Amino acid sequence: MGYTLVYTQVLEFLPYLIKGAWISLQIAILAFFGGMFFGLILATVRTFGNNISNKIVICYVTFFTNTPQLVQIYFLFFALPEFGILLSPYIAVLLGMTLNAAAYLCEIQRAGFLSIRQNELDAAKTLNFSLFQQVKYVILPHIMRVLFPPLSNHYIIMTLGTSMAAIFGVEELTGRAFNINSETFRSVEIFSITALIYIVITFIATFLLAIIGRYFFKAKIRIIQ
Amino acid sequence: MERLIEEIPNFFTIWNVIFLAKAMGVTFLLTAIGCLVGFSVGGLLAIFRKTKSIYLLPLRIFIVIYTEIFRRVPFLVSLLLFFYVFQIIKISDDLFLIATITVCIIATAYIGEIIRSGIESINQTQWDAATAMNFTYYQTLREVIFPQAWKVILPPAFGFFIMFIKDTALASQIGVMELTFAAKILNNKGFSPLLSFGTILILYFILSFPLDRFGKYMERKLASNKN
Amino acid sequence: MPQIKIKSINAFYEKLHVLKNIELNVSKGEIVSLIGPSGSGKSSLLKMLVGLLIPKSGKIYLNENLVNFKNQSDLRTIREQIAIVFQQYNLFQNMNVLKNVCIAPTKIQKRDPKEVNEQALNLLEKVGLKDKLKSYPDELSGGQQQRVAIARALCLNPQILLLDEITSALDPELVKEVLDSIRLLASEGMTMLIVSHEMNFVKEVSSRVVFMDEGSIIEINNPRNIFEKPKEKRTLDFVSKILKEK
Ligand SMILES: Nc1ncnc2c1ncn2[C@@H]1O[C@H](COP(=O)(O)OP(=O)(O)OP(=O)(O)O)[C@@H](O)[C@H]1O
Ligand SMILES: [Mg+2]
């Protein structure tokens, strides 16, 4: 064993890494809400659209959920320039993640729509709720309670997915770990610290989501599984 | 566009086709080994996680920490960490082996969770009845719980297999010759990125889609069988 | 000498104090009925007797032997002697009727499968389920499931039988049949603890009736007195309520 772990040198880079984590967070949040929005459109089309539009959405979802996000981004980054579309690494990653998230979030949101039970609506109708009241008191609370746990779960998966951005040179958390690695060669120390930061930020996210879920949507999320 | 069409015959030479087929084999093998190991070891973790004996408490704590950690670190970071750890301890510098071990460790954490929540989905009444008739913990699992829980475990497990086919793309980052790395090599050789990456997108799809369909089919079938 | 002796038992579900200072003796061959409002702890008392709810303090003697709830082999012993029919029947969903009845005698008690099979068929015939041997629990009605659960418990050849809400899912004719078989079992020396609200049933079979409320035993009396002139006011309130519901 010629190697001893030395963390002192790497710890100097901690603020630098944490700023990187901030960028990871940005990418995750932007891609998540972009994916939510686009996924909602897809889910709406899928629920209310005609045969052809349905098929298109199904193809989209099937394609994006059955191929790696990494290769999708490679494709955007390297193949689109052939058509004269040049994307910066940051935009390519963000776009790739958003398109990918849209496919998953479409499925999740659709499952939420489908889970509204007719008898709950009937109950609301017999109580003489107006359409607005039905949406406000019955449909939305129900959808949020059903959707919140899988959405939170997917958000955590996306946070981890942002590390792919490093491969394209984006200086988020993993990207910055790459940078320090090529400067100091303290690889094990760097990547273990990086791993730890990911653990911390996903724990914080789960914790906040659990609180939001519990107090606003009566949805139960366990912090430790 | 014409350039692309001209390039196609040059791209699909016998050499390139064999090269891609081999890479596809590596992707498949990585996933298959990971899932097999993940299922067996993850199953064991789930079983021990639910034990009650005070002597097994350290083991239970270890299992919780293990599953929480590896489900909260990006695959890429775990992969690089193991890659460098292996360089230090010098057990092996076989890249495929390193990637396989990483995949197995992560798969174990995820599948262990899937199996555990499958076990927990079974009603307490089933445990009570078995306990009251003197079944041991392992007898209860074998005779009562798993025969019911597999229906809950299987659909998310399929989703997970698919996720892993895709995640092994990251093994390209440490130089494992799987599909994504193969595409990068072809791209570097001067083939159009549209062709190189487009082709492997299709190949990934071919690996993943049948599993996806089968998983969804099972899910529907099991759901409709329920009552 | 009592076969079961329960001495100042206290038990909790986390913070909820479900069994408060329970004192009860049951002799061999006796049939004791438990009555009381919903949530009073009747099921919990039965569960405690098969070690599914571990008491925090107090003592239980089974055939004069002190039961140590922390000792696995003691738990095994009480479960060999006491069989329970759960309020929710708790049939194994992955097994058909016959398998539900046979599994524990063959796999756990390691008895001869042929002999077990014969006994199981016999019992299932007695409870009128001979044509349902291959059905799964979710294909049966509540009353049918309950009868399978009774057959399953009896096939274990216990000395003591605990029956939770035995009559609630049965139709009147069946109540009479079950009542007959319970009397028969009692005459063979089987000890029974029965939770039931069926007043006629309780009156006819039991030697004593225990009234529970909020986790405590309020009154133990003979079946006539408990319905006609109970000692406690809470008992009176409860019995007059169930009499009114009739
Ligand atoms: N597994 C459990 N965990 C926590 N609390 C429980 C559990 N089982 C029962 N309880 C609570 O213990 C109390 C007693 O329940 P128990 O089932 O013994 O009542 P019961 O007298 O059988 O009522 P019923 O007539 O409705 O069957 C109730 O307040 C119930 O909510
Ligand atoms: Mg009860």
Side-chain angles (χ1 to χ4, degrees), chain C residues 38-39 41-44 87-88 164-165 195:
Chain C
S38 182
K42 305 175 300 288
S43 299
S44 304
Q87 190 168 1
Q88 273 83 25
D164 201 346
E165 300 282 357
V195 176

Side-chain angles (χ1 to χ4, degrees), chain B residues 52-70:
Chain B
K52 297 244 161 60
S53 157
I54 186 87
Y55 303 109
L56 292 176
L57 184 66
L59 182 61
R60 288 199 291 274
I61 293 173
F62 167 78
I63 293 171
V64 173
I65 294 174
Y66 173 90
T67 39
E68 283 301 323
I69 285 183
F70 286 102

Side-chain angles (χ1 to χ4, degrees), chain A residues 79-156:
Chain A
L80 282 189
E82 305 227 324
F83 302 98
I85 306 169
L86 260 169
L87 299 176
S88 75
Y90 187 84
I91 296 295
V93 168
L94 197 57
L95 183 62
M97 285 194 74
T98 307
L99 293 177
N100 195 278
Y104 283 97
L105 297 175
C106 161
E107 288 294 272
I108 293 175
Q109 294 182 85
R110 199 171 86 90
F113 293 166
L114 295 180
S115 75
I116 300 170
R117 282 176 296 256
Q118 190 57 44
N119 56 6
E120 279 183 39
L121 288 181
D122 289 346
K125 275 192 198 118
T126 53
L127 292 172
N128 272 332
F129 279 28
S130 70
L131 183 63
F132 175 76
Q133 284 169 323
Q134 281 181 41
V135 171
K136 185 170 172 209
Y137 295 111
V138 183
I139 300 178
L140 263 186
H142 174 86
I143 289 189
M144 285 316 292
R145 196 175 61 243
V146 174
L147 283 186
F148 201 77
L151 288 179
S152 310
N153 193 23
H154 199 76
Y155 174 75
I156 301 292

Side-chain angles (χ1 to χ4, degrees), chain C residues 2 26 29 36 43 49 81 91 99 103 114 133 151 161 163 168 172 187 192 199 215 235 246:
Chain C
V26 184
S43 299
L49 287 172
Q81 298 174 5
L91 296 181
K99 185 97 191 284
I103 182 145
K114 256 220 213 102
L133 299 179
L161 190 58
L163 301 166
S168 60
S187 71
M192 276 178 269
M199 203 189 56
T235 320
K246 281 269 145 164

